[in-house]
Amino acid sequence: MTTPPPRQRSTGKKGTPPVGSRMAGLLVPVLVFLLVTGAGVTALTPRGGPEPTFTERAQQAAADRARDLAADAAVLARSAPAAGYAEAAELLAAQAHGLAPAGPESAQGSSSGTRSGAPEATAAEGTSTPVTPAGFLEDLAASAGDNLSDAVKAEPGIARLLASVGSSQWQQAASLRTLLGLPVEAPAAAGLDAADGPACTDEPRGSAGQRRALLSAVRTEDRAVYAYEVAAARLPDPEPLLAASREHAAVAAAASSALAALCAAPAPLPPAYALAPEFLADPAAGIARLEQELSVFYGSVVGAGGPALRGWAVGRLTTAVQRSFALDGVAEPFPGIPVEEQALPTAGSTEEPNAEDTGKP
């Protein structure tokens, strides 16, 4: 499957303004998200206050990395304007603004990004070590890995934000490496624990939230299998679509097996699903939207607070983001978070993923 040139997506709706003019609008709901999660209420390490939590430290570190990377990308964009660095700089600047906790100290720390979302490059230019494409890619991939790793351990609301930013940064790194003709390696992803246990009794195992998330995953992935098969029958190059369908089927089977290990059986699956007329008219665009919706679903699983599924959901979110980009070339600073709806989780909330509301083609 050929990777298209990078573009940026704000809400996925038609008629949106250019990226530079819409970044400020994108940041408003993201800041709403941070205020709701409690992430932007106070600056990190207030004088005389308690030591910052792991979640606070992870959030601040992610903001600092995004700020520095945005400045480096802006430097590289000046010497290679067609290499994708300018787009990466805008995405990273938006992430730096969205991640930064509110307060005087963090406001100073986030000065590398302008209010419109365009980064300033003065900090990077003043350093003694020159910015190189190889060094930037290494730092970007490391930042993505740190964010994805920290998302597994952070509090639910910020975990979803870190997983979103980490998935976006990994996609940016993969896209730039492809443009430079370099190999791309997928980040390590956790699997589902479906190990054999004691014989099932009348009582299911695990938490109710864990069982509901797995049930939703089975339904959502089964819907994706069907959509890909329909698209494969209508498009000239069916094999990549059928391969993706088989991968979604394997994920559905793994979720079903994990559900059985919790002594909970999935509900019967329908033989077919209703597809929107827009999907049938343009299946290529339809499966790109499907993967976007899958990223939202797995983002909600990350935010559900269940440690048993968190690592697996982070990996599935990253996969959905990369596949969506490969299909339509549209990059997002916060994939998996429906910022246009402003219906975002709180730091201590446990969202319940619902397959009836997500993943529909």
Side-chain angles (χ1 to χ4, degrees), residues 220-221 224 228 248 289-299 316-317 320 323 358-359:
T220 302
E221 292 288 350
Y228 267 97
H248 283 294
R289 287 193 299 270
L290 170 66
E291 293 292 347
Q292 295 164 27
E293 291 161 359
L294 281 168
S295 73
V296 173
F297 168 74
Y298 283 109
R316 296 312 308 167
L317 167 60
R323 184 174 283 127
T358 58

Side-chain angles (χ1 to χ4, degrees), residues 29 64 105 147 183 208 239 249 331:
D64 292 342
E105 295 179 7
N147 288 329
E239 186 50 42

Side-chain angles (χ1 to χ4, degrees), residues 250-278:
V251 176
S256 182
S257 178
L259 197 60
L262 298 177
C263 301
L269 297 172
Y273 296 89
L275 298 176
E278 296 82 12

